[in-house]
Amino acid sequence: MRDLSLSIILVAAVPLSAAFSTSTAGQLRLHALHKSINALPTKEYATTCDTFIKEEIEKKDVDSVLPTNQQLRHPNTKMRDTRSFPFGLIVDQQKIKHALLLSATNPKSIGVLISGGHGTGKSVLARSMSRIVPSHIQIIQGSEYNIHPDLEDGVDSFLLQRLHNGEQITDTEFVPTPIVQIPLGVMEDSLVGAVDLENSLETGTPIFSPGLLAKAHRGILYIDDINLLDDEVIDILIKVMSDGCVNVEREGLSVTYPCRPLIIASYNPEEGELREHLHDRFAITLSADATRLSTEERVVAVDNVIGFEGGTQQNSACAEENLRIVEVEEQALRTRVEMARMRLDKVQITTSQIQHLCEEATRAGCEGQRAEIFATEISKASAALDGRNAVNKEDLQKAVVLAILPRATLFPGDTIESGDGDNVMNAPPPPPPQ
């Protein structure tokens, strides 16, 4: 059993693009990994994975086992992943980091909104998630919409038409997980897609060019300064977060495609308020201003920024060693997230636990039902991330803090109206069920 668990961990520790090919043997290995996930002892995979990666780095004498586009083209290269500042070099902000890990575990349901002033690391935190989420995704070969081979996350209009015509679609490929940022001033056509006039004139038939939302499907969609976007763009984002798909009507062409990315947004409240309707669509809202760094922590942060250099070598031996350690930790986190995603559908939450979350939302005076729905999803993601198949009271407590308290309009000691019309004192909450 120990050897079986270790073999599963070794496969999972290598990014899926390297561990599995599109061959029959590769597909069988992938299927075996999914079937064997429950055989892993609780929390053992993280420790074993960490040891394995350290051994691999020493054995291969390489700087990192993180894959990059360059490594895909030239497998023997020693180039590092330089897309963003390392997640592990960001000082403190533990609550936001944990929220981002929960979102990475269940990207379809848990979006994260980060507020804060200038220079508080909002965008750095968001972009660093490119180093934590699974590095590659499997898609139908040539798909511009990142469609999963099992069609489990939806299908675009063009592929649906091919399927209706009886076409057999079997070829797949692995591509880097898309990281898409919506810029300020983005136009609607760039966001959702538009007709490619040049190619349409050449072919004589309408050719649709996908937009940013199509490219973000099953990846990361980062929205900086979300409070400064145009109202038209905000309306599109609200619809996407609600429906998980995009509908485009252009010049007689009707196109529908799925859009279910991990959504991370940030804004500075001093530059303008965020529409309440959009704010409520995010499962988790946290402030980067909430924690003030000590002088010692500020020194560490400065050292980390100055010492970090993209490429094969860092500015000093100390920075090089720190980055090697961080890369090992990031790969362990990436493996942990991959395993948690596979486990998520198996996580069980009892009726009494859901009832507890609903009672907490009612006691807090939350409007609507999003608070308890998001809290349920967060509880399950927390259990999966911790390697468990059942939600416990710690998961419920995290969910209340992250999803219910920020939406609260009533607090213990406030006077509320009971069902018979009398005013009563809002009592402290009972302990969560096991």
Side-chain angles (χ1 to χ4, degrees):
M1 178 63 183
R2 180 179 179 85
D3 293 338
L4 172 63
S5 299
L6 180 58
S7 66
I8 296 171
I9 293 163
L10 299 191
V11 173
V14 180
L16 294 182
S17 59
F20 312 117
S21 65
T22 54
S23 64
T24 302
Q27 296 299 326
L28 289 175
R29 292 175 66 193
L30 179 60
H31 181 64
L33 174 62
H34 279 268
K35 288 187 64 177
S36 305
I37 183 65
N38 281 333
L40 288 175
T42 301
K43 296 186 180 180
E44 181 178 321
Y45 59 84
T47 303
T48 310
C49 172
D50 185 69
T51 303
F52 163 72
I53 296 170
K54 289 179 180 178
E55 292 173 351
E56 287 295 295
I57 289 178
E58 295 173 357
K59 180 173 66 177
K60 296 180 180 179
D61 190 28
V62 297
D63 294 317
S64 172
V65 293
L66 293 174
T68 64
N69 294 339
Q70 184 75 2
Q71 285 177 321
L72 290 177
R73 293 190 293 269
H74 308 287
N76 294 326
T77 184
K78 294 184 179 181
M79 288 294 292
R80 276 196 168 102
D81 183 342
T82 58
R83 291 174 296 177
S84 60
F85 191 78
F87 186 82
L89 289 183
I90 300 173
V91 178
D92 204 15
Q93 302 293 3
Q94 296 304 318
K95 289 183 179 180
I96 297 179
K97 287 182 178 180
H98 185 65
L100 291 172
L101 291 177
L102 293 174
S103 181
T105 300
N106 186 1
K108 298 178 185 178
S109 303
I110 304 176
V112 178
L113 178 63
I114 307 172
S115 65
H118 296 292
T120 52
K122 303 184 298 298
S123 59
V124 176
L125 281 162
R127 295 189 182 100
S128 69
M129 285 302 293
S130 64
R131 307 172 68 102
I132 303 301
V133 298
S135 59
H136 292 71
I137 58 174
Q138 187 181 20
I139 66 170
I140 292 176
Q141 191 171 53
S143 173
E144 295 181 300
Y145 303 90
N146 300 328
I147 303 301
H148 193 282
D150 295 335
L151 311 181
E152 62 182 30
D153 294 314
V155 60
D156 62 272
S157 301
F158 305 104
L159 179 59
L160 185 62
Q161 185 61 47
R162 292 167 59 189
L163 294 172
H164 284 169
N165 292 339
E167 184 176 345
Q168 297 295 321
I169 300 175
T170 57
D171 294 334
T172 65
E173 62 179 326
F174 285 93
V175 298
T177 299
I179 314 295
V180 176
Q181 179 172 346
I182 296 180
L184 278 178
V186 64
M187 303 298 292
E188 182 178 345
D189 286 351
S190 299
L191 189 63
V192 302
V195 174
D196 187 332
L197 294 178
E198 183 177 350
N199 288 332
S200 297
L201 290 175
E202 291 179 358
T203 61
T205 57
I207 303 296
F208 184 76
S209 177
L212 294 174
L213 294 179
K215 298 175 183 177
H217 179 50
R218 297 176 61 206
I220 296 177
L221 180 64
Y222 174 50
I223 314 166
D224 195 10
D225 293 322
I226 189 172
N227 56 326
L228 303 182
L229 293 176
D230 294 337
D231 288 341
E232 293 79 5
V233 174
I234 294 295
D235 291 337
I236 293 173
L237 293 176
I238 290 175
K239 185 172 178 58
V240 168
M241 296 177 75
S242 299
D243 301 342
C245 65
V246 178
N247 299 310
V248 185
E249 303 287 341
R250 291 288 188 278
E251 289 80 26
L253 189 66
S254 179
V255 178
T256 300
Y257 58 84
C259 182
R260 294 183 178 276
L262 189 169
I263 300 180
I264 306 173
S266 61
Y267 75 104
N268 184 352
E270 296 176 358
E271 296 178 343
E273 294 298 325
L274 183 65
R275 284 170 54 177
E276 190 64 31
H277 193 42
L278 177 61
H279 190 286
D280 195 46
R281 302 283 173 160
F282 289 89
I284 301 175
T285 302
L286 292 170
S287 172
D289 295 329
T291 303
R292 296 291 182 181
L293 297 182
S294 66
T295 302
E296 291 76 12
E297 290 172 327
R298 285 174 174 264
V299 171
V300 173
V302 171
D303 286 342
N304 289 347
V305 172
I306 294 178
F308 177 72
E309 180 71 25
T312 56
Q313 296 296 326
Q314 298 304 294
N315 291 333
S316 66
C318 181
E320 180 70 26
E321 180 62 24
N322 287 341
L323 186 56
R324 288 170 66 92
I325 294 173
V326 166
E327 286 175 332
V328 169
E329 294 172 349
E330 287 180 339
Q331 184 61 49
L333 277 177
R334 172 174 286 174
T335 303
R336 187 179 173 192
V337 168
E338 289 181 356
M339 306 290 266
R341 286 187 175 186
M342 292 183 227
R343 188 185 294 272
L344 184 62
D345 289 340
K346 301 179 179 66
V347 174
Q348 301 294 320
I349 182 170
T350 65
T351 302
S352 62
Q353 290 173 329
I354 295 177
Q355 180 178 347
H356 170 75
L357 294 176
C358 293
E359 290 172 350
E360 290 297 286
T362 301
R363 183 177 290 106
C366 298
E367 298 179 357
Q369 283 72 52
R370 285 200 182 98
E372 51 263 46
I373 292 173
F374 285 145
T376 301
E377 297 288 358
I378 291 171
S379 299
K380 295 174 66 177
S382 177
L385 191 62
D386 206 29
R388 289 179 280 101
N389 287 342
V391 171
N392 62 20
K393 65 178 182 180
E394 286 77 18
D395 300 323
L396 297 178
Q397 289 170 342
K398 291 177 184 177
V400 170
V401 171
L402 292 174
I404 294 179
L405 286 185
R407 294 173 168 82
T409 60
L410 297 172
F411 300 92
D414 291 347
T415 300
I416 60 175
E417 185 174 321
S418 65
D420 56 7
D422 296 331
N423 291 331
V424 299
M425 193 71 72
N426 193 13
Q434 295 289 340

